[in-house]
Amino acid sequence: MNTRLRVGVFGLLGSGNLGNDGSLEAVLGYLRAEHPKAVVDALCGGPEVVTARYRIPATRLHWYRGEYRTASRAGAIAGKALGKLVDAVRTAAWVRRHDVVIVPGMGVLEATLPLRPWGFPYALFLLCASGRLLRTRVGLVGVGAAPIGNRSTRALVRWSARLATYRSYRDTRSRDALRQMGVDTARDAVYPDLAFALPTPPAGAPSGVVCVGVMDFHGSDDDRARADDIHRRYLDGTTRFVRRLVEDGRPVRLLTGDACDAPVVAAILDAVGSPLVTAAEAASLADLMTETAAADLVVATRYHNLVCALKVGTPTLALSYAAKSDALMDRMGLGAYCHPARDVDADRLLDRFRELEKHSAELRKTLAERNRVAARQLRDQFDDLTATLFHAPRKAS
């Protein structure tokens, strides 16, 4: 009889989103420390990247390779439809081979960015339904959730959550959102984002550098009709803010968190046209933490840009596009330093930035204390995960 625990990790991993991959890295660190004999593999969006970077076998999440491209021709539409049927069989076969499957962090229960119900929400439902049918324990660990307007997406998310064996959240608003969808969350816990479990690089010496984290932001899933206008206003406001920093003689380092953000960086570099503005080439959350640790201050949009800056203790101002950003800033004691990404007003943003700089010394002390608390809470998260998912009876091989 095979006595080695079989653990799968699942999600849009290796697909260019640094936050998703950082959450995976945190869970793999936990598994290697606490369950070193476990056999681990992935069902994910970018299997080649996951295997090369994390040294685990990986399988492509979707049979149809054009899953996340808009289908307009008959052949593409037929391919997507067939892919849904094939994926149901593929997912069940993969789940059957495991004792435990972990969905590591990520906003898998939200639609704060454009999302089609028959893309990832359907894939997550297949995972959780297969786990229930095949008696494989599925854990949604440190995930994000938010109210969802689209009825089909909301139904798939609700049933995925109900069918999972274990759920924990990265903030109380996520748990509240699931409860409002009709999920019993009475036994569900809230812990800091999994990325707070990653190693922290040493702080840099004062440099004068301001990191500005940008995003290919077009609003939420409910904003598709006005996505272009939202993006234009975000880009214009952010560009004006960077230009104002340069006029004050500030070196600016542009950060991203997903491969799709590159055109935004290029547009700002072109519009500002100053040697004081440079772009980082971060390939991981560790790279982002190194960049933010070397900065005096950070202004960022993407959630895991914020996490990285806060984790290394750099005073940070959030260009907030969702409640999860506000919740994170509140948790870390910087709730007063949020500005809406939908309405980037360079003058108002510069005022908040100057307030951030004025209080930076005391904010660094606040962040140091909040990070100590987060570290303790994440140890509790992993202890809870072990007790719930790994100490249950094993499946028969």
Side-chain angles (χ1 to χ4, degrees), residues 298-351:
V298 174
V299 179
T301 310
R302 278 200 180 273
Y303 180 82
H304 278 97
N305 277 196
L306 296 174
V307 169
C308 289
L310 297 168
K311 178 171 169 53
V312 300
T314 302
T316 300
L317 197 161
L319 287 176
S320 177
Y321 68 90
K324 63 184 178 183
S325 300
D326 298 334
L328 172 65
M329 296 295 282
D330 283 340
R331 175 190 282 273
M332 299 304 290
L334 275 74
Y337 298 98
C338 294
H339 184 91
R342 292 168 177 274
D343 184 23
V344 181
D345 182 296
D347 292 331
R348 287 193 292 120
L349 183 56
L350 195 61
D351 287 343

Side-chain angles (χ1 to χ4, degrees), residues 369-389:
E369 175 56 32
R370 298 298 174 97
N371 275 301
R372 285 191 287 270
V373 172
R376 291 195 297 270
Q377 291 172 331
L378 278 170
R379 287 195 292 270
D380 293 340
Q381 159 72 99
F382 291 132
D383 288 345
D384 186 27
L385 191 59
T386 293
T388 306
L389 293 187

Side-chain angles (χ1 to χ4, degrees), residues 30-255:
Y30 152 72
L31 290 173
R32 287 165 178 162
E34 301 299 325
H35 306 281
K37 294 184 179 180
V39 178
V40 182
D41 72 311
L43 185 61
C44 60
E48 298 86 0
V49 172
V50 167
T51 295
R53 184 174 295 167
Y54 302 109
R55 305 185 308 280
I56 60 173
T59 303
R60 186 170 298 279
L61 179 60
H62 299 290
W63 173 80
Y64 181 63
R65 289 178 177 260
E67 175 61 41
Y68 293 104
R69 294 194 296 268
T70 300
S72 55
R73 294 184 299 176
I77 293 171
K80 278 198 171 187
L82 177 60
K84 302 307 172 191
L85 299 176
V86 175
D87 284 345
V89 176
R90 292 175 71 251
T91 301
W94 183 80
V95 168
R96 184 189 291 274
R97 299 197 298 268
H98 297 85
D99 299 296
V100 173
V101 174
I102 294 174
V103 180
M106 306 177 285
V108 297
L109 305 178
E110 63 183 49
T112 52
L113 298 175
L115 182 71
R116 298 293 188 189
W118 304 113
F120 187 78
Y122 174 72
L124 184 65
F125 170 75
L126 290 180
L127 171 78
C128 296
S130 297
R132 180 63 64 94
L133 288 170
L134 300 170
R135 296 187 298 117
T136 296
R137 300 182 292 281
V138 175
L140 308 181
V141 182
V143 297
I148 297 172
N150 183 283
R151 292 178 64 183
S152 297
T153 303
R154 186 169 63 248
L156 288 166
V157 163
R158 179 171 60 246
W159 278 105
S160 297
R162 285 176 172 171
L163 292 168
T165 309
Y166 174 89
R167 297 180 298 268
S168 66
Y169 310 95
R170 61 191 180 190
D171 53 60
T172 56
R173 299 185 195 196
S174 293
R175 183 172 60 185
D176 292 345
L178 260 292
R179 186 176 64 249
Q180 290 163 10
M181 289 186 211
V183 178
D184 181 0
T185 62
R187 294 187 295 175
D188 298 354
V190 174
Y191 299 101
D193 188 88
L194 290 171
F196 281 99
L198 295 173
T200 305
S207 62
V209 171
V210 179
C211 281
V212 178
V214 301
M215 178 178 178
D216 185 29
F217 178 60
H218 291 79
S220 73
D221 193 52
D222 297 328
D223 294 320
R224 289 179 180 272
R226 51 199 183 98
D228 289 344
D229 181 58
I230 289 172
H231 179 69
R232 185 180 64 256
R233 285 190 282 117
Y234 168 79
L235 180 57
D236 289 349
T238 305
T239 301
R240 286 196 298 271
F241 174 68
V242 171
R243 187 177 288 118
R244 295 286 294 276
L245 292 177
V246 169
E247 289 169 356
D248 288 345
R250 303 257 192 177
V252 175
R253 189 80 162 150
L254 299 178
L255 308 179

Side-chain angles (χ1 to χ4, degrees), residues 282-298:
S284 66
L285 291 194
D287 291 344
L288 283 176
M289 281 190 268
T290 299
E291 292 283 351
T292 55
D296 287 0
L297 301 163
V298 174

